Amino acid sequence: MSAGFSRTDGLLRCDGVALGELAERFGTPLYVYSAASVEAAYRAYDAAFAAVPHRICYALKANSNGALLRRLAAWGAGADIVSGGELAAALRAGFPAERIVFSGVGKTDAELQAGLDAGIGEFNAESEEEIRRLSALARRAGRVAHVTLRVNPDIDPRSHPYISTGLRENKFGVDLALAPELLRRARALPGIEVAGVQCHIGSQMTDLEPVAAAARAVAALSRELLAEGFALRSIDLGGGLGIDYTGEGAPDPRALAARVLPALEGLPRKLLLMLEPGRSLVAAAGTLLARVLYVKENRGKRFVILDAGMNDLLRPSLYEAFHRIEPVVERGRPRAEVDVVGPVCETGDFFARSREMEAVEPGDLVAVRDTGAYGFSMASNYNLRPRPAEVLVEAGVARLARRRETLADLLAAEVDG
Ligand code: LLP
């Protein structure tokens, strides 16, 4: 049986554990993760790139639950972080500092300093100004910062516009053509060592041609820099591999390697290939479990109202993202077209619109699938709703990985104004 979620005897389970039991034990809404599924995804990446020196730096933004992070760190993954908060979470989970890369277009001085203090492996710089700030801070601290420059190759990832990052009009990276000049200046700065070039052109990419084109562009630039005497030690191709949300199929790490590795031919063998996958490691490993509160009809339209809302899972509202939604217990009821919505006071608070699914009734449990990535990590307290609990299932045992927030948590940071 493959790791993760599957149905036996009509019951949806996570690695053998019936989701209904988890709802009883931990309440709803509830995020449920399969450790085995994350491990299988990580190992698939590791195996796919075994032909070259590589490091899989998990992008914490997809899901920064400590239980998952500790396991990824133990399996040998590196970490791709974008904030001081993620730096703290990565260090706490046991990622060795030298396996941490710091990405992000707007790092503050305090965040750069924290990265320097921790001795992280690389800063993925996004502008010359950032490298200058880093140089000043590194010099003051008597440290050397290894910098990889994020370039913007102006390639369309053919994904949702909100998660496209590699086009000229996006705020990310620096113009590919200007990179050599910029790096010549950067190399002369005190406290800076140019370690390599990085790019990340988008997320949920299922067409690998743009990824291959970006890899070719970054490889060509790396060759040029090496020929000029830059002592590059890595090449970072970012994350972005899509997953199969709809059941129509999606490429896997092996397919990615088949497109990317040929682009790197001719580069020195010792160059470390870095990847920054987030979604493709954890999305399929997670399900959001929710209970049906009400089913109501409005002028012939049927609404299924869940106890989970857009504050718990924002992707459908923000990107019109598709997530499979299934009753946890299949009862063979007739199918019907419904809108699956949450309790939040927004028309945009929906999980699916005009979706055909088996009829459900108040009290039934439903599973919103493939929500291990950008689910909890994008959750908020909108409508003063406590964020859900998270549970990790490992070897048939379910453990709480983050308790449900309480009303006291929601108000804890307020001061008398
Ligand atoms: N590296 C960098 C520099 C990134 O900006 C990202 C994602 C990743 C790696 C990881 O990408 P992944 O492998 O997960 O595609 N909230 C959106 C996705 C935003 C992705 C932002 N950057 C969603 O729910 O679809």
Side-chain angles (χ1 to χ4, degrees):
M1 195 184 73
S2 67
F5 296 86
S6 61
R7 194 176 286 278
T8 45
D9 308 325
L11 299 185
L12 191 60
R13 300 169 195 267
C14 177
D15 294 330
V17 180
L19 294 185
E21 283 172 27
L22 297 181
E24 289 306 322
R25 216 173 124 197
F26 301 102
T28 54
L30 181 72
Y31 275 102
V32 180
Y33 307 126
S34 155
S37 170
V38 180
E39 180 167 11
Y42 174 73
R43 304 261 182 238
Y45 260 101
D46 203 28
F49 289 91
V52 297
H54 64 278
R55 180 171 298 152
I56 312 299
C57 293
Y58 169 62
L60 263 72
K61 62 168 79 72
N63 186 328
S64 51
N65 184 281
L68 294 178
L69 298 185
R70 283 192 294 282
R71 281 159 182 82
L72 282 156
W75 298 327
D80 170 44
I81 59 161
V82 289
S83 69
E86 288 189 355
L87 174 61
L91 292 171
R92 182 165 108 141
F95 286 97
E98 66 273 12
R99 279 198 249 136
I100 298 177
V101 300
F102 202 153
S103 303
V105 70
K107 306 177 193 78
T108 65
D109 283 5
E111 288 175 323
L112 293 172
Q113 186 67 51
L116 282 170
D117 291 345
I120 64 163
E122 261 129 43
F123 291 86
N124 279 341
E126 300 228 12
S127 67
E128 185 162 358
E129 189 50 37
E130 179 186 337
I131 302 177
R132 290 190 183 282
R133 291 243 200 123
L134 193 54
S135 165
L137 293 167
R139 201 178 37 179
R140 207 174 307 151
R143 290 183 179 268
V144 172
H146 294 269
V147 169
T148 38
L149 181 68
R150 180 169 182 178
V151 294
N152 184 327
D154 194 22
I155 292 170
D156 184 353
R158 300 179 205 155
S159 182
H160 189 284
Y162 283 13
I163 51 177
S164 298
T165 45
L167 281 169
R168 200 180 344 209
E169 67 250 35
N170 301 135
K171 67 182 174 185
F172 298 98
V174 304
D175 189 339
L176 192 66
L178 303 178
E181 256 315 305
L182 192 159
L183 286 173
R184 277 178 217 128
R185 292 192 292 272
R187 147 159 96 160
L189 294 172
I192 297 293
E193 259 177 43
V194 176
V197 185
Q198 189 263 10
C199 86
H200 169 86
I201 60 169
S203 197
Q204 185 50 24
M205 293 185 290
T206 49
D207 178 350
L208 294 181
E209 182 42 37
V211 187
R216 287 192 292 271
V218 173
L221 176 59
S222 299
R223 275 189 212 97
E224 190 184 328
L225 295 169
L226 284 161
E228 238 189 75
F230 279 89
L232 304 186
R233 57 176 202 179
S234 58
I235 178 165
D236 184 339
L237 297 179
L241 183 64
I243 70 133
D244 184 9
Y245 283 110
T246 58
E248 289 161 345
D252 60 7
R254 200 143 30 121
L256 178 69
R259 295 307 307 272
V260 158
L261 293 180
L264 307 183
E265 257 158 44
L267 285 169
R269 277 279 307 172
K270 62 179 197 312
L271 218 57
L272 181 67
L273 170 62
M274 318 240 295
L275 297 166
E276 303 168 353
R279 185 192 317 269
S280 48
L281 289 179
V282 295
T287 279
L288 174 61
L289 202 53
R291 208 174 276 284
V292 178
L293 293 176
Y294 303 100
V295 179
K296 76 171 192 179
E297 306 255 350
N298 260 357
R299 292 173 190 254
K301 211 169 168 61
R302 190 182 293 181
F303 292 93
V304 172
I305 302 165
L306 304 183
D307 64 357
M310 65 188 286
N311 70 296
D312 302 305
L313 174 67
L314 186 59
R315 303 193 72 255
S317 307
L318 192 57
Y319 315 116
E320 296 189 63
F322 179 93
H323 287 271
R324 287 176 288 156
I325 302 179
E326 308 167 25
V328 165
V329 183
E330 265 175 8
R331 301 173 204 268
R333 294 192 190 124
R335 298 175 74 79
E337 198 179 283
V338 295
D339 278 17
V340 183
V341 303
V344 170
C345 304
E346 297 262 355
T347 305
D349 179 29
F350 60 84
F351 293 119
R353 286 187 292 192
S354 303
R355 178 78 59 88
E356 200 203 279
M357 63 181 283
E358 182 177 318
V360 288
E361 291 178 358
D364 287 352
L365 289 169
V366 298
V368 187
R369 300 288 307 276
D370 304 317
T371 45
Y374 306 109
F376 188 91
S377 66
M378 294 175 77
S380 77
N381 294 123
Y382 187 39
N383 278 202
L384 268 194
R385 289 167 51 81
R387 285 178 297 173
E390 295 173 283
V391 164
L392 182 70
V393 178
E394 189 171 41
V397 179
R399 283 193 203 85
L400 195 60
R402 192 182 203 275
R403 67 164 172 78
R404 183 175 307 285
E405 282 178 339
T406 62
L407 298 179
D409 290 331
L410 296 186
L411 302 174
E414 277 199 19
V415 290
D416 289 337

